[in-house]
Amino acid sequence: MVRVRIAPSPTGFPHLGLIYQALFDYAFAKKNNGKFFIRIEDTDRARFVEGAEDKIYAGLDWVGLTEDESPRKGGEFGPYRQSERQAMGIYKKYALELIEKGGAYYCFCTKERLEQLRKSQETNHQPTMYDKHCRNLSKEEIEKKLSLGESYIIRLKVPENKTIEVEDLIRGKISFDSNLIEDAVLLKADGFPTYHLASSVVDDHLMQTTHVVRGEEWLPSLPKHWLMYEYFGWEKPIFIHTPTIRNPDKSKFSKRYGHTGVDWYINEGFLPEAIRNYLALLSWSHPEGKEIFSLEEFIEVFDFKDIKPVGPVFDLEKLKWMNGEYIRNTKVEILSDKLKEFFKDDDEIKSFFKENASKMDQIILLAQSRMKTLKEFKDLVVYNPTELSLQEKDFAKKLKSEFENIKIWNKDNILNAMREILKTTGAKGNLLYKVLTGKDKGLPLPDMLEILGKEETLKNLH
Ligand code: GLU
């Protein structure tokens, strides 16, 4: 039974990078009749943000990647929040078990000592790593320190002078020199576990994760996790480290360059189908080279093996293009519903919808091929010609009388009237947009004005 998960920390709306991983998880689970679950990694109280867990669900639901098991849905491998698992004493139990098995040890080094060590390593240009000081304490020394109530942490015992060979599904086998791997902290002095112990090993094992899909920033930690699975004698999951999404300058995709939270895409009027399609293509390509495909199709053809381990650059323009394609391919009735939903809190456009109810389908049809996001619809259709100069007002007046003379209100006659007025006044075409719409470009005016009707058009000309 395939079991895959995302393990977000509740810090706000999900980052696109999380959605990108969830997409692979979801597709793989569906393809194999498996389960996709969410484990909330909330043991770091300093980073905890109230309400963030609900935002994670909202983001995933919006993009259509709803999980099978999670804190909100329950499931047989709960609890699904690490804070609750911590309260049950799970992590400490396994940290102690690892000591028993010879894979970990107590470390009583003080903060001051560690700080000193780090400084001297830095001055000597050595890698800053724990020097294994407590690794050889005798049983008696340990007992004594524990009975005196000395503060301790628990560290992983990394074997010396060994090659640790690990495997990643998309990168193959990778070898690490054990002497370059630190005796990582597994349990902190406050009794809370680190990611290495809690997430990567204990929870993924207990929750029967079969494929660990996570960002490639975790790849350097893989040998530590590998060792722990071996010390525990547990079967390892298959590891898949997804390539990091990058800014144009190849740095990690960040707020400084772009919009990383899914909420921005929701508010801008992107369609979830387009987001899914775009994210799928970041590091994977369709076997037939297709650019546009549904989630169902993605599930059918997706395989982890086809992910390319090179950092994909996030390209907002391409995403917008793709979103425009999805908008164009949406049936008018459905697009109309989507627009109503998108603008449900916008009174101005709501009254536009009401006033033009009978023309709405035609208007949408006209705007459909020119909008890349739902948000752009408003700018294309709601006209607000204000702040005209005296000269512009004069032009508007002339245009109005030209329009008033039109007997049959259709786009050909509207176009002729426009041509006529441009000829007699010598004005440029964008002045027509300015006095009719308040903008300097937009939908083809004769088509739009025909739909809006003579009365409505004249009303806007003052
Ligand atoms: N909480 C970890 C993170 O946000 C999860 C990584 C993982 O999926 O294992 O990076």
Side-chain angles (χ1 to χ4, degrees), residues 58-78:
L60 287 166
D61 287 347
W62 178 78
V63 88
L65 302 174
T66 300
E67 78 285 6
D68 301 302
E69 302 163 17
S70 66
R72 67 167 170 175
K73 292 219 159 165
E76 50 179 315
F77 297 92

Side-chain angles (χ1 to χ4, degrees), residues 344-450:
K344 66 177 187 297
D345 299 320
D346 184 325
D347 289 337
E348 195 181 5
I349 193 148
K350 265 163 62 189
S351 62
F352 176 82
F353 268 104
K354 225 191 212 147
E355 282 162 29
N356 296 289
S358 62
K359 310 164 194 161
M360 226 40 229
D361 282 2
Q362 278 172 284
I363 294 175
I364 292 174
L365 214 51
L366 187 64
Q368 194 170 21
S369 59
R370 285 175 180 79
M371 50 199 268
K372 293 202 173 110
T373 62
L374 298 179
K375 193 174 173 182
E376 287 174 4
F377 180 74
K378 181 172 174 179
D379 230 27
L380 287 171
V381 304
V382 177
Y383 298 158
N384 242 333
T386 49
E387 316 262 329
L388 297 183
S389 69
L390 274 177
Q391 233 178 348
E392 289 163 347
K393 274 190 188 149
D394 188 49
F395 178 82
K397 225 191 210 150
K398 289 187 179 135
L399 181 64
K400 193 170 183 176
S401 69
E402 197 71 45
F403 277 172
E404 274 164 351
N405 290 333
I406 295 180
K407 300 232 161 47
I408 301 170
W409 188 256
N410 63 27
K411 63 179 176 197
D412 289 340
N413 292 340
I414 297 170
L415 183 63
N416 285 337
M418 286 176 167
R419 284 202 175 124
E420 185 59 30
I421 189 128
L422 290 183
K423 208 167 79 191
T424 53
T425 60
K428 296 240 163 60
N430 57 358
L431 190 55
L432 286 168
Y433 276 100
K434 177 116 198 250
V435 300
L436 284 158
T437 71
K439 292 154 195 155
D440 55 7
K441 55 182 193 301
L443 297 177
L445 278 174
D447 301 68
M448 182 58 175
L449 300 183
E450 177 183 330

Side-chain angles (χ1 to χ4, degrees), residues 126-263:
Q126 288 168 339
T128 48
M129 266 167 76
Y130 180 58
D131 62 356
K132 307 183 179 172
H133 181 75
C134 288
R135 203 157 143 155
N136 300 313
L137 291 178
S138 68
K139 233 184 158 112
E140 294 70 39
E141 283 170 299
I142 295 169
E143 295 294 330
K144 191 166 158 222
K145 283 175 184 293
L146 288 177
S147 66
L148 288 171
E150 269 188 45
S151 164
Y152 66 84
I153 59 176
I154 294 177
R155 284 186 186 272
L156 175 66
K157 199 185 263 180
V158 178
E160 289 172 315
N161 310 318
K162 279 237 163 80
T163 300
I164 304 174
E165 193 178 74
V166 302
E167 194 165 355
D168 170 278
L169 187 64
I170 56 181
R171 293 152 214 269
K173 290 195 163 68
I174 309 168
S175 297
F176 290 85
D177 173 356
S178 73
N179 292 340
L180 301 177
I181 298 169
E182 187 173 38
D183 282 359
V185 179
L186 302 181
L187 199 77
K188 297 183 272 186
D190 59 7
F192 278 87
T194 58
Y195 170 82
H196 303 304
L197 175 72
S199 312
S200 189
V201 180
V202 172
D203 284 346
D204 277 338
H205 171 71
L206 295 179
M207 300 168 102
Q208 298 187 13
T209 311
T210 56
H211 296 71
V212 170
V213 182
R214 60 185 178 187
E216 68 184 334
E217 66 272 21
W218 292 111
L219 195 58
S221 302
L222 183 56
K224 295 173 191 160
H225 308 153
W226 204 264
L227 274 177
M228 288 161 81
Y229 274 99
E230 292 192 340
Y231 283 137
F232 277 120
W234 292 340
E235 193 188 334
K236 294 176 201 81
I238 290 169
F239 290 95
I240 296 132
H241 293 85
T242 54
T244 304
I245 307 176
R246 305 203 170 269
N247 295 315
D249 72 351
K250 299 284 153 89
S251 57
K252 190 173 170 181
F253 182 44
S254 65
K255 280 193 193 147
R256 201 152 58 87
Y257 275 91
H259 303 281
T260 55
V262 71
D263 50 328

